[in-house]
Amino acid sequence: MTHDSTPPPADTAHDSHSPPDPGHPQAPPRARPGGLRSKLPMAQDLPASLVVFLIAVPFSLGIALATGAPLTAGLVAAAVGGITAGVLGGTPLQVSGPSAALTVITAGLISQYGWRATCAITMAAGLLQLLLGTLRVARSALAVSPAVVHGMLAGVGITIAVAQLHVVLGGSPQSSALANLIALPSQLARPHPPALAVGLLAITLLYGWPRLHLLPGRAGQIGAWVNRAPAALVAVAGGTALAVTCNFQLARVELPSWHEHDFAAVPHGSPLGILGAVLTVTAVAGVESLLCAVAVDRLSGGAGDLDRELRGQGVANMLTGLLGGLPVAGGAVRSSANVRAGARSQWSAVLHGVWVLLAALALTGGLRRIPLAALAALVMVVGIQMVSFAHIRKVHRHREFPVYLATVLGVVLLDVPLGVALGGATAILLALHRLTRAHVDVIARPDGSYEVELHGPLTFVTVPRLTRTLGAIPVGSRVTVRHDGSFLDHAAYEALHAWRAGHIAHGGQVAMLTKRQEDETLDPDGTVRSGSSPGPHRCRAWTPWMGHHCIDQQEDPHGRLLDGVRGFQTHTAPLIRPELARLAREGQTPSQLFLTCADSRMVTSMITSSGPGDLFTVRNVGNLVPAPYEPGAADDSVAAAVQYAVEVLEVRSITVCGHSGCGAMKALLDGVHERPGKPTPLARWLRNGRGALARLARVPAEFEGRPVADEVEQLCITNVVQQLDQLMANPAVERGVLAGTLRLVGMYFDFATAQAYVLDPATGRFAAVAGAREIASAA
């Protein structure tokens, strides 16, 4: 087992950037299309729409409560967002509605301009979103530092949680997060027991309900069945039942009559202030919707149209503002529940909006029984979950925690626009610092020579330090200058080459190397001559494995290996030493488990463009996953590695990768595992592939767009599908898939064409992965 590693597709994402639902129904992701645009609802859309509806109603009421808007505004936004964005949007499985990320912004607008003016601002923001979508700039909106986005969401989450804690304790929130924090000690000293009891029950159900399936024995089976009910709905229903049963005197939901419902009105105030409000709502709602759309596409395996999605969100916000609803955005809470509930098309989101509309018209009596403390507990938990420790670890790993922290503090202490501006300014300053930061190190060798190591971009800012350091090297000495290949501007280039010319003129020798290992050595007169490496062979770093054309095949293999190690120590180790030192300090945090064959041609780091710390890799003959029920073929080493990756390292995906010309598959077809006599270790191991042989006879796997080359290749790809099924026999994998935190991926690599294929869960076929040039040509 090796620890290579590859980053997931931009995670990630997330990653969605909105908080997960504190207990939506968990179902294993099955083979399904990644979101289809269908003229008629599909069979799976109706039950999925009901699941999302049960989550959306309490969530929409809670967001309306947190903003200070009429509670009917939350229902209007949920209905309009579901129906309008569902019909017009570009991400079929995304569900739109009131946004937790916009809670603080909306509350501020209501406080400053009033509710009806806020509706007009929402309409204007929707019009601007529609214009931006028409101009096809949706992709540009994703060019925001993830640290700023995560920091904004965390700051909003903290603000929401602290404000709603006052309601759970029986009080009222203050006008700002800072005021809420200052008033919190006195509120904690004088809680209102009935409100606190309802809130604690709701919080307990929110955190405990999704974990009922973890109970041992029969209780866990019952828990898995009842988990189909969303925790948000159960928490609000439980709090309401407690308040009614005990006859608590509590503040309850005040749904105004629809005859009294307010609509948009022209805002009064500073034009610049109103313009700033429109731009803020447009930016936050648009970015959140687009980031969520990307995350939903990754979760479902689809490929949405972001410009169309932005236009759909714009129309939805124009309508919700016109009808007196909250601002609308795509949300991970509803969307992830929609995907996991088995939705197949946009009709699930549309039907969810219809159910919300019917509930708003027909169930107002029941909704008025809900205590505000239960809704406040729901929103408080959502706010807490917006502070994601996974995101904190990720931004820290990418050395962007100062950006994250500045954004969080700015949002909490100032407001969302200023907090985002502060985070963006910090990100720019950090980027400028990195662009101008370079390390110039001089190492004296025992033979009297010197080695100069240049790391980072060399710009005019670094010229004084560069010339000072180079000027300290003794005249006439032999010097090797190694540059890591980063940016070199004209001023630094002139300074470096002027020093080289002067050093050679005084009898010195200079060799210059870059990370491409295009070595330059010196003639006796001190001039540079390219292409002559002092090593055992004259080839560049990647050529030794390219057929070994430059290496004598009769040489000692051990010596060849040591030559490779020496090349690593000379050229590569100085460049990756800081990253490896960081990994040594922080430990490994791979995002994926990559299970593949031990074939020497399968270079996982090459085909996945990965580096240290990215992939947790398990290799064996035939990329097999022993099934516990396979007689005479069980093996715990793979199961132990899988369990460690899932439970300890918390990887988010497992990829099983086969390859062309696999010797293990040829041996299976030749019946090596069934030969009479005492089985060899190889024969016993190959028995783990009998399931693949059986599947080959029943339902062989196929490629999308090309036939299989021969029976061996068909068994190779069929074996990948079979091993994915056998992975589900591992309890750790099954729990992760059922919880929606783990994804299984099938992959195949064809050596002859250097082409990777990925199993499409929608069709059950292996589709070729397009490169950047192919994508550009298709576009």
Side-chain angles (χ1 to χ4, degrees):
M1 178 169 41
T2 62
H3 177 166
D4 289 2
S5 334
T6 252
D11 185 235
T12 190
H14 137 240
D15 280 77
S16 68
H17 296 270
S18 293
D21 174 43
H24 55 67
Q26 306 289 356
R30 300 297 184 191
R32 58 175 175 269
L36 303 174
R37 300 212 67 82
S38 173
K39 293 183 179 179
L40 295 173
M42 298 186 180
Q44 299 90 335
D45 291 328
L46 179 59
S49 70
L50 291 172
V51 169
V52 182
F53 158 70
L54 294 176
I55 294 171
V57 169
F59 187 77
S60 301
L61 292 173
I63 294 298
L65 172 68
T67 60
L71 297 189
T72 50
L75 300 175
V76 170
V80 171
I83 297 172
T84 307
V87 171
L88 302 177
T91 306
L93 299 188
Q94 174 157 273
V95 184
S96 300
S99 166
L102 287 164
T103 301
V104 176
I105 296 172
T106 307
L109 294 179
I110 294 172
S111 172
Q112 183 173 0
Y113 298 107
W115 167 241
R116 298 181 66 189
T118 301
C119 293
I121 290 172
T122 301
M123 288 179 60
L127 180 61
L128 184 54
Q129 283 181 315
L130 179 60
L131 175 62
L132 293 174
T134 304
L135 295 176
R136 307 185 68 82
V137 299
R139 287 282 172 188
S140 303
L142 300 180
V144 180
S145 169
V148 174
V149 175
H150 295 320
M152 180 196 72
L153 293 175
V156 169
I158 292 171
T159 303
I160 292 173
V162 174
Q164 297 310 302
L165 180 57
H166 283 273
V167 181
V168 171
L169 293 171
S172 299
Q174 306 298 314
S175 59
S176 68
L178 187 59
N180 280 320
L181 287 171
I182 294 173
L184 190 57
S186 61
Q187 186 68 65
L188 287 170
R190 302 189 312 275
H192 185 241
L196 183 58
V198 170
L200 289 177
L201 176 62
I203 292 170
T204 302
L205 289 173
L206 285 168
Y207 283 109
W209 190 262
R211 293 166 175 79
L212 291 180
H213 68 280
L214 300 178
L215 295 173
R218 179 68 176 167
Q221 297 176 1
I222 297 174
W225 185 81
V226 300
N227 272 166
R228 298 179 182 181
L233 178 67
V234 173
V236 173
T240 303
L242 177 64
V244 172
T245 302
C246 298
N247 197 25
F248 286 155
Q249 299 301 311
L250 291 172
R252 300 179 188 272
V253 167
E254 296 181 4
L255 280 178
S257 169
W258 289 107
H259 298 291
E260 304 170 1
H261 186 71
D262 290 325
F263 296 93
V266 177
H268 298 284
S270 166
L272 288 178
I274 295 172
L275 176 62
V278 171
L279 294 175
T280 300
V281 174
T282 302
V284 176
V287 170
E288 185 186 17
S289 297
L290 295 175
L291 291 174
C292 183
V294 172
V296 169
D297 281 339
R298 288 171 183 159
L299 185 63
S300 64
D305 182 339
L306 294 184
D307 290 303
R308 176 171 178 169
E309 180 64 33
L310 188 57
R311 292 194 297 271
Q313 294 292 332
V315 175
N317 272 309
M318 291 171 64
L319 282 178
T320 189
L322 179 65
L323 298 176
L326 290 170
V328 162
V333 174
R334 298 170 292 268
S335 301
S336 60
N338 191 40
V339 173
R340 292 191 176 98
R344 298 287 294 273
S345 73
Q346 80 277 14
W347 285 104
S348 174
V350 174
L351 289 174
H352 129 274
V354 173
W355 309 143
V356 172
L357 179 60
L358 293 177
L361 297 175
L363 301 179
T364 53
L367 296 177
R368 288 191 177 102
R369 292 178 175 269
I370 299 175
L372 295 185
L375 289 180
L378 169 62
V379 179
M380 185 181 78
V381 170
V382 171
I384 292 171
Q385 291 178 337
M386 291 173 74
V387 186
S388 169
F389 287 101
H391 290 159
I392 293 174
R393 286 194 297 269
K394 185 179 295 184
V395 298
H396 184 266
R397 188 162 64 243
H398 290 281
R399 295 178 296 172
E400 292 188 338
F401 186 73
V403 178
Y404 179 90
L405 183 61
T407 308
V408 171
L409 293 177
V411 169
V412 172
L413 299 178
L414 303 172
D415 58 23
V416 174
L418 290 177
V420 171
L422 180 61
T426 306
I428 293 172
L429 291 175
L430 190 61
L432 291 175
H433 171 67
R434 289 171 178 168
L435 284 174
T436 58
R437 184 182 62 181
H439 294 285
V440 182
D441 301 315
V442 178
I443 303 171
R445 299 300 183 189
D447 60 358
S449 65
Y450 291 84
E451 189 166 305
V452 180
E453 295 185 350
L454 306 175
H455 301 292
L458 294 175
T459 64
F460 65 94
V461 179
T462 62
V463 166
R465 179 153 46 98
L466 176 64
T467 55
R468 184 168 58 249
T469 303
L470 294 176
I473 298 175
V475 174
S477 58
R478 180 181 178 86
V479 181
T480 300
V481 179
R482 302 182 187 278
H483 184 219
D484 64 4
S486 298
F487 177 72
L488 181 73
D489 78 353
H490 184 71
Y493 174 86
E494 291 288 351
L496 188 60
H497 284 268
W499 168 83
R500 183 182 67 170
H503 193 77
I504 293 174
H506 288 84
Q509 295 180 332
V510 179
M512 291 194 174
L513 309 175
T514 70
K515 72 175 181 178
R516 295 181 180 179
Q517 281 80 49
E518 294 178 354
D519 292 2
E520 297 176 315
T521 56
L522 302 170
D523 286 332
D525 62 356
T527 60
V528 176
R529 178 167 56 85
S530 299
S532 177
S533 173
H537 51 79
R538 296 186 177 187
C539 61
R540 295 175 185 174
W542 280 103
T543 52
W545 57 264
M546 295 176 63
H548 303 291
H549 298 306
C550 63
I551 300 177
D552 183 1
Q553 296 299 304
Q554 302 301 318
E555 71 173 285
D556 175 21
H558 179 64
R560 185 193 307 161
L561 180 67
L562 288 181
D563 285 341
V565 174
R566 292 189 188 100
F568 166 80
Q569 292 298 150
T570 302
H571 302 297
T572 308
L575 302 180
I576 67 169
R577 189 171 288 121
E579 176 65 11
L580 290 179
R582 183 188 65 78
L583 290 171
R585 290 192 310 271
E586 300 177 3
Q588 60 171 326
T589 55
S591 59
Q592 297 189 30
L593 166 62
F594 199 88
L595 195 154
T596 190
C597 186
D599 192 297
S600 63
R601 298 167 292 177
M602 177 61 70
V603 185
T604 57
S605 59
M606 179 178 67
I607 67 173
T608 59
S609 302
S610 60
D614 296 333
L615 276 183
F616 188 77
T617 306
V618 177
R619 305 186 69 149
N620 61 49
V621 176
N623 47 273
L624 300 175
V625 180
Y629 50 78
E630 192 72 27
D635 179 277
D636 285 338
S637 64
V638 176
V642 171
Q643 181 182 359
Y644 181 77
V646 174
E647 294 185 348
V648 179
L649 299 178
E650 298 181 345
V651 298
R652 297 192 298 275
S653 73
I654 300 178
T655 299
V656 176
C657 182
H659 64 86
S660 59
C662 181
M665 299 301 103
K666 294 177 183 177
L668 279 171
L669 290 171
D670 292 341
V672 171
H673 59 295
E674 301 292 358
R675 288 177 181 173
K678 183 179 180 180
T680 64
L682 178 60
R684 286 197 302 273
W685 172 255
L686 289 177
R687 289 176 180 174
N688 294 296
R690 288 182 292 197
L693 283 174
R695 182 183 285 265
L696 180 67
R698 299 192 319 271
V699 281
E702 301 285 350
F703 288 104
E704 185 73 46
R706 79 166 178 89
V708 294
D710 51 32
E711 189 179 23
V712 174
E713 183 172 60
Q714 192 145 44
L715 180 57
C716 288
I717 58 177
T718 302
N719 178 58
V720 171
V721 180
Q722 178 64 27
Q723 302 314 310
L724 290 174
D725 281 355
Q726 292 180 191
L727 267 173
M728 286 296 291
N730 188 303
V733 175
E734 184 181 23
R735 286 194 299 269
V737 172
L738 289 174
T741 59
L742 183 64
R743 182 180 179 186
L744 303 184
V745 180
M747 186 174 173
Y748 174 79
F749 189 76
D750 181 42
F751 291 131
T753 59
Q755 177 64 58
Y757 297 82
V758 173
L759 178 64
D760 184 353
T763 63
R765 295 172 177 264
F766 283 81
V769 178
R773 292 181 180 177
E774 289 88 343
I775 295 173
S777 299

